[in-house]
Amino acid sequence: MNIILLGPPGAGKGTQAKLIADEFKLVHISTGDIFRAEIKNKTPLGERIKSYMDSGNLVPDSVVLETIRGVIEKTPNTGYLFDGFPRTIAQAEGLSGFVKIDFVVYINLTDNEIIKRLTSRRSCVVCSRNYNIATGPFPRQENRCDVCGGELVLRSDDLEPVIKERLNVYRKNTSPLIEYYKKLLPSGFFEIDGSRKIEEVYRDIKDKLSWKA
Ligand code: AMP
């Protein structure tokens, strides 16, 4: 089973992705996490993509697709959960050459809620788990990840001006994927209200996938 998690930044894709991947035994592929690790490790790819990420813009499609191809080659014969990918129609078309998508879960959230959530989000620099100092989940120890003990930081692209640019980019480049996948997978496309508690959103997604899968 191959699933795409679609939705604006801050909708809870990363949080839900970890839960769904565990439940359905899927390989979780987050292009954002992969790129942040490349930047942290100062690799040539990291150097190339840093300016795009810092400004809230998209990494070029060719680079993204090459990265995805590499990950799929390293973990063949499994189901995948794509989180934050594809983000353009060109990426979706490229992906269709590698794997067949069964379900698209679109998590929806308003712009106001997105800005509120992202400015109070704190992310683990080691395992990329997210916490939220306004709404929870709160870390047990201040600034430390409950799971791996890594430091929790405000992501540099979670500053308000960058969030606004990410939202513009989402509206322009990524939101056309909603209609694209609705047409392509009429009975495999689910829209989920992301404004609820993490557990409620998760239960909704799990019910829909369990029923279909
Ligand atoms: P995310 O963690 O998914 O919010 O991604 C953070 C940033 O990484 C984005 O704002 C983009 O700069 C870059 N990025 C992640 N995934 C993609 C993608 N599929 N296509 C282009 N850029 C991406």
Side-chain angles (χ1 to χ4, degrees), residues 6-17:
L6 189 63
K13 297 190 297 296
T15 303
Q16 296 297 331

Side-chain angles (χ1 to χ4, degrees), residues 23-40:
E23 173 75 28
F24 294 92
K25 309 276 175 284
L26 304 171
V27 172
H28 173 198
I29 302 183
S30 157
T31 38
D33 286 352
I34 295 171
F35 292 152
R36 273 184 291 279
E38 296 284 339
I39 292 174
K40 195 171 149 219

